[in-house]
Amino acid sequence: MDPDGCSERYGEAASDPVTVRLHTRSLPRRLLVNPDLVLGEAYMDGALTVDGDDIYGLIELLLINLAQQPDVWHYRWLARLRQLSRNLAQFNPAERAGRNVAHHYDLSGALYDLFLDADRQYSCGYFRHPGDSLEAAQQAKKTLIATKLLLEPDQRVLDIGCGWGGLGLQLARDHGARVTGVTLSREQHRIAEERSRTSGLADQVRFRLQDYRQVEESFDRVVSVGMFEHVGVPHYREFFDTLRQRLSEDGVALLHTIGRADGLSATNPWLAKYIFPGGYSPALSELLAEVERSGLYVTDIEIWRLHYAETLKAWRQRFEAELDRVREIYDERFCRMWRFYLVISELAFRQGGHVVFQIQLARKQDAVPLTRDYLALPEIRDDSASKAA
């Protein structure tokens, strides 16, 4: 329904129709000019509403329709223009990278407590079985990462983009590693340091407020989970050159990052403006080109397809269940913005060709076993139900 009260019906009759209401006369024109940006802004501002607040149903319908009509010239040229300008948008020297990180990760810790697991894992979980809880999936993710790193006691580990410290603390506690984690988020650094002290692992784990490019020591293992999306295409060679320099001769590294299965593209403009400035999820082809130039060996690649969709579904459901508490922290516009972010992110994995890459790297061909037999994981008990009770 448009601002004048006129209704239009599109498509075949459906049992679950999506009803959209436009509340400003300029909105149709603005949506036509730049739909990827304006749709999210209109929803945030209340200029566009969906009956039942079914923004998930609307975005899903739009993505399905777009996939069936891939040659819409206007949309195609907008995407092309964004690709041409992406190097400028993703130019992330240390100072700018710090500002970009603060934009998202220095939000109130109380917000993240409402929808993440207790360990604050803000990256894709690994759902080994249908019906796994978010807690079980995040524990499985950390266990698999440790397995791929082939950790031994007292090995030195660099965690690039350490978040709130959960992975580093587990690598120290369960495997005897000596971990150095780096982050550009002041809030994450503060909490990670506090967790290190209270866990009794301060002699094994240290966290620094530092850009990865400023690290100078050598490490037996390097891991980076959910950070590479913030590096930016112009800095890929710098990232992998730095990784190789920090890795010991017999060292092993693991890179865990969101990627795209449909080739190079550009970041959604709404996501870049409001959620992840300077961010980009790469195609495997553009990522591996820089790995090859660095002189590192790719020793294993695993592609997780719908695991992040399930992770985001769990986050979205928890967030929506806690909306009243979110409103105590931020205003209604922020709530709509964050909900839109979680919805479009989930659907990017279900409908939009996004996946997760786990890439194991080494300086020597024989740094890891020649077969993947060592990757068999033990069963992980899911205690989430009993804890909830």
Side-chain angles (χ1 to χ4, degrees):
M1 181 177 292
D2 67 22
D4 296 321
C6 299
S7 298
E8 298 285 348
R9 184 180 297 271
Y10 301 94
E12 299 177 358
S15 57
D16 297 311
V18 177
T19 302
V20 180
R21 301 180 187 275
L22 309 182
H23 302 286
T24 63
R25 287 186 170 84
S26 64
L27 185 54
R29 174 182 53 79
R30 291 168 53 222
L31 283 168
L32 178 64
V33 172
N34 195 354
D36 286 338
L37 176 63
V38 173
L39 178 63
E41 291 184 332
Y43 178 71
M44 288 166 55
D45 296 334
L48 177 149
T49 57
V50 187
D51 284 10
D53 205 14
D54 187 17
I55 192 64
Y56 187 101
L58 174 61
I59 301 301
E60 183 178 40
L61 178 63
L62 292 174
L63 288 175
I64 291 172
N65 286 344
L66 186 61
Q68 295 174 349
Q69 302 177 52
D71 294 325
V72 178
W73 70 268
H74 174 63
Y75 198 86
R76 186 174 68 247
W77 277 106
L78 283 174
R80 180 60 178 159
L81 287 172
R82 286 196 291 270
Q83 286 183 32
L84 291 173
S85 63
R86 68 178 190 163
N87 278 9
L88 180 61
Q90 296 168 35
F91 179 62
N92 294 322
E95 184 177 349
R96 186 176 184 184
R99 293 196 301 270
N100 290 343
V101 166
H103 178 89
H104 190 88
Y105 296 98
D106 284 349
L107 295 171
S108 170
L111 170 69
Y112 292 105
D113 285 338
L114 294 177
F115 69 92
L116 299 181
D117 64 304
D119 197 40
R120 283 200 183 185
Q121 290 297 305
Y122 196 26
S123 59
C124 180
Y126 187 61
F127 290 81
R128 298 181 66 191
H129 308 292
D132 275 357
S133 67
L134 177 64
E135 286 72 18
Q138 294 294 10
Q139 181 59 42
K141 182 263 300 290
K142 290 179 286 184
T143 300
L144 181 56
I145 287 172
T147 302
K148 289 185 177 183
L149 287 172
L150 297 148
L151 284 174
E152 297 178 6
D154 291 324
Q155 284 187 326
R156 299 155 301 159
V157 178
L158 173 63
D159 184 358
I160 299 176
C162 61
W164 292 279
L167 176 62
L169 292 169
Q170 179 163 324
L171 297 183
R173 181 178 58 248
D174 295 350
H175 302 276
R178 309 191 72 82
V179 181
T180 298
V182 295
T183 177
L184 291 176
S185 166
R186 294 183 181 278
E187 183 70 8
Q188 286 185 336
H189 176 255
R190 180 186 65 79
I191 293 174
E193 283 278 83
E194 181 180 339
R195 293 181 69 184
S196 178
R197 288 193 300 271
T198 58
S199 67
L201 293 169
D203 60 334
Q204 283 181 255
V205 185
R206 53 182 178 168
F207 297 106
R208 301 177 186 167
L209 189 63
Q210 184 179 36
D211 190 282
Y212 73 94
R213 290 164 285 198
Q214 298 170 344
V215 177
E216 297 180 349
E217 306 98 308
S218 177
F219 296 87
D220 304 297
R221 301 290 186 263
V222 177
V223 63
S224 182
V225 179
M227 176 270 180
F228 190 75
E229 300 91 329
H230 304 284
V231 169
V233 174
H235 303 278
Y236 283 2
R237 181 172 301 185
E238 183 179 29
F239 178 88
F240 289 111
D241 286 347
T242 300
L243 192 155
R244 187 181 190 280
Q245 292 163 8
R246 301 284 70 81
L247 199 60
S248 65
E249 190 64 26
D250 294 321
V252 177
L254 186 75
L255 176 65
H256 172 120
T257 180
I258 297 172
R260 56 185 74 233
D262 53 357
L264 66 88
S265 186
T267 303
N268 174 283
W270 182 88
L271 203 65
K273 181 176 180 179
Y274 292 99
I275 306 297
F276 294 121
Y280 174 67
S281 301
L284 192 60
S285 55
E286 54 190 336
L287 186 160
L288 288 181
E290 298 302 337
V291 173
E292 293 166 359
R293 294 186 181 98
S294 74
L296 290 165
Y297 284 99
V298 176
T299 50
D300 190 80
I301 297 179
E302 185 174 3
I303 299 177
W304 299 4
R305 286 158 287 126
L306 292 172
H307 292 273
Y308 218 153
E310 292 303 308
T311 303
L312 284 152
K313 178 183 177 181
W315 291 347
R316 176 174 59 84
Q317 290 175 337
R318 292 181 179 203
F319 178 84
E320 290 174 346
E322 298 287 357
L323 268 175
D324 287 341
R325 295 177 64 186
V326 178
R327 292 187 182 103
E328 296 174 2
I329 307 170
Y330 293 105
D331 63 16
E332 188 65 34
R333 187 174 188 268
F334 180 93
C335 291
R336 288 195 295 267
M337 177 186 76
W338 206 260
R339 187 162 182 263
F340 191 82
Y341 150 57
L342 293 174
V343 165
I344 65 171
S345 297
E346 178 185 341
L347 287 169
F349 288 89
R350 295 200 189 279
Q351 305 287 349
H354 278 61
V355 295
V356 168
F357 304 134
Q358 275 202 346
I359 305 175
Q360 188 190 60
L361 302 163
R363 293 183 62 166
K364 295 174 61 177
Q365 285 197 50
D366 58 357
V368 302
L370 298 184
T371 71
R372 303 183 87 242
D373 296 346
Y374 69 99
L375 293 177
L377 296 183
E379 285 299 320
I380 297 172
R381 180 182 171 188
D382 185 357
D383 290 328
S384 59
S386 60
K387 289 178 181 178

